[in-house]
Amino acid sequence: MQTEISNFNFYNPTEIVFGKNRIPELDRLVPKNKKVLILYGGGSVVRFGTLDKVKEALPNRTIGEFGGIEANPTYETLMKAVELVKAENYEFLLAVGGGSVIDGTKFIAAGAIFDGDPIDIFGAGIGKGLPVTKSLPFGTVLTLPATGSEMNNGAVVTFVEKKAKLSFGSPFSFPKFSILEPELTYTLPTRQLANGVIDSFVHIMEQYLTYPVGGMVQDRFSEGLLQTLIEIGPKVIDEKNHDYNLRANFMWTATNALNRILAPGVPQDWASHSLGHEITALYHIDHARTLAIVLPSLMEIRQHEKREKLIQYAERVWHITDATEDEKIQLAISKTRAFFEQLGAPTHFKEYDLGEEVVEPLVAQLEKHQLTAISERRDQTLEISRRIYLNAL
Ligand code: NZQ
Ligand code: ZN
């Protein structure tokens, strides 16, 4: 077990272009001599005029479009884009959308010039898990603050038939730039706004709620971002509240929650995400909402392993000081649960009309995807994961 901050390299080459009316700068950001493919999702960027703005900003270029990337982007759809990129020799990709479009674009950019079958970019029993050693360059215009994908090098892809959600990452998969216009969030419905707050919150927790190693900077950054979300979350989910600074703070928090600035040299626990991805793969619940089910239950089941950090979290994030250590832990967990519920995300399976029948299929999925020794100490066995699912019924 780690007792101090371990050695780290921190590298993040993505240029962030943040604020009002930044889309016109695409002309500067996208290379003028490259053939560009714009990628988007199910149509929100068409309906709300973002796609038109993007195209207007890219005059005198050869541009193509690929729409229809689903929420939880599927390998099947993404491979169609890979074929298109190869057939038409696109040289630069531009993702316009949320995490799904950006993740999909990361895979397409890597898959289009991968030596071999792109399925082998994935491991966990689906492909050979070969490293990505090159990628087409790509940029993003973010429309949904949540995943941090706009400033990280990871992506999650869904395999429909195989009922799997698998991730990959590579040093070549950072966006060249990401345009973050907070006003683009004004068209988001309450459910997606809440999803964004919860996903960001849990990204921070996965890098924070482990055991102390004296990472003061990492801890204080995390605590500051968590407090920001607690403060602004309930206002952010009011879809009619178009307060600029509110949305700007939300967007920048979500990006920092997973651009890896919180993680260098400290232990991390991505167990809530691992357990959550299996829920989406089998029962199609939104990514963030699976985390709202898993995290409070995981905190309860794993409170002994995470005791010191839970007390720190209670004191510094929720300002619970006048209580015993055990009371602090219980209060911190119940406040976290209440926060998710307040944002409209249920924290139990039963609220999705799901019962005990889900537990064994979910555990079997974890086993199939080799998630049998997870968490910061790799001591979360299938039996512990089973207890976490059972405790969330
Ligand atoms: O598809 P369209 O029509 O564009 O509508 C989308 C979609 O239905 C809509 N939307 C996006 N921007 C909008 C908007 N509607 C109105 N106004 C706007 N401005 O929102 C819906 C959800 O979009 P999606 O991109 O799926 O959401 P999100 O950003 O939450 O991404 C979720 C995906 O990211 C993965 C998840 O697993 C999931 O597949 N993640 C990626 C991570 C990463 N790359 O680092 C980390 C995360 O933990 C996560 O796993
Ligand atoms: Zn997430």
Side-chain angles (χ1 to χ4, degrees), residues 20 181-186 193 232 235-251:
K20 292 186 182 178
E181 281 196 9
E183 288 166 307
L184 290 182
T185 70
Y186 292 175
L193 291 164
I232 67 175
K235 292 178 218 142
V236 163
I237 62 163
D238 175 355
E239 59 191 27
K240 296 197 186 67
N241 187 349
H242 294 172
D243 179 284
Y244 179 77
N245 266 357
L246 182 65
R247 294 300 176 88
N249 281 312
F250 170 40
M251 204 169 222

Side-chain angles (χ1 to χ4, degrees), residues 146-147 198-200 202-203 206 258 270 273 277 287-288 291:
T147 63
I198 295 163
D199 196 17
S200 311
V202 181
H203 292 159
E206 303 264 44
L258 197 44
W270 289 92
H273 272 68
H277 284 331
H287 169 63
L291 304 174

Side-chain angles (χ1 to χ4, degrees), residues 234-390:
K235 292 178 218 142
V236 163
I237 62 163
D238 175 355
E239 59 191 27
K240 296 197 186 67
N241 187 349
H242 294 172
D243 179 284
Y244 179 77
N245 266 357
L246 182 65
R247 294 300 176 88
N249 281 312
F250 170 40
M251 204 169 222
W252 192 223
T253 303
T255 299
N256 279 286
L258 197 44
N259 64 4
R260 303 292 176 183
I261 192 72
L262 307 179
V266 301
Q268 302 176 54
D269 174 9
W270 289 92
S272 291
H273 272 68
S274 297
L275 270 61
H277 284 331
E278 303 303 358
I279 302 176
T280 304
L282 291 190
Y283 305 108
H284 313 294
I285 296 175
D286 291 351
H287 169 63
R289 283 161 190 264
T290 67
L291 304 174
I293 297 172
V294 175
L295 180 68
S297 175
L298 181 145
M299 290 165 92
E300 279 162 1
I301 298 292
R302 303 286 277 167
Q303 57 182 279
H304 300 295
E305 291 78 6
K306 294 179 182 292
R307 182 177 177 84
E308 285 174 82
K309 262 322 198 23
L310 269 169
I311 294 167
Q312 182 177 326
Y313 168 69
E315 290 172 351
R316 294 197 193 168
V317 176
W318 292 103
H319 306 298
I320 305 164
T321 45
D322 195 13
T324 66
E325 289 191 340
D326 287 332
E327 287 165 354
K328 283 177 186 169
I329 291 172
Q330 297 320 317
L331 272 168
I333 297 173
S334 62
K335 280 181 183 288
T336 308
R337 187 185 289 286
F339 179 61
F340 295 157
E341 299 271 355
Q342 185 191 4
L343 297 173
T347 58
H348 293 101
F349 282 106
K350 66 171 182 290
E351 283 148 292
Y352 292 95
D353 291 329
L354 296 171
E356 215 172 328
E357 73 283 357
V358 304
V359 175
E360 288 315 312
L362 286 169
V363 173
Q365 287 275 107
L366 289 172
E367 185 166 22
K368 197 159 88 190
H369 299 141
Q370 298 151 15
L371 298 166
T372 54
I374 54 178
S375 96
E376 64 272 20
R377 294 189 187 87
R378 310 201 60 77
D379 61 349
Q380 186 172 319
T381 58
L382 286 182
E383 181 46 35
I384 294 170
S385 296
R386 178 181 284 112
R387 281 171 50 209
I388 292 169
Y389 283 136
L390 275 169

Side-chain angles (χ1 to χ4, degrees), residues 41-45 47-48 69 71-73 98-101 103 106 143-144 146-149 152 154-156 165 184-185 187-189 192 199 203 258 273 277 287:
S44 72
V45 300
R47 274 199 313 285
F48 300 120
I69 297 178
N72 304 310
S100 293
V101 174
D103 281 10
K106 286 178 183 172
T143 63
L144 199 178
T147 63
S149 189
N152 70 37
V156 186
K165 264 191 97 175
L184 290 182
T185 70
T187 55
L188 283 165
Q192 296 301 345
D199 196 17
H203 292 159
L258 197 44
H273 272 68
H277 284 331
H287 169 63

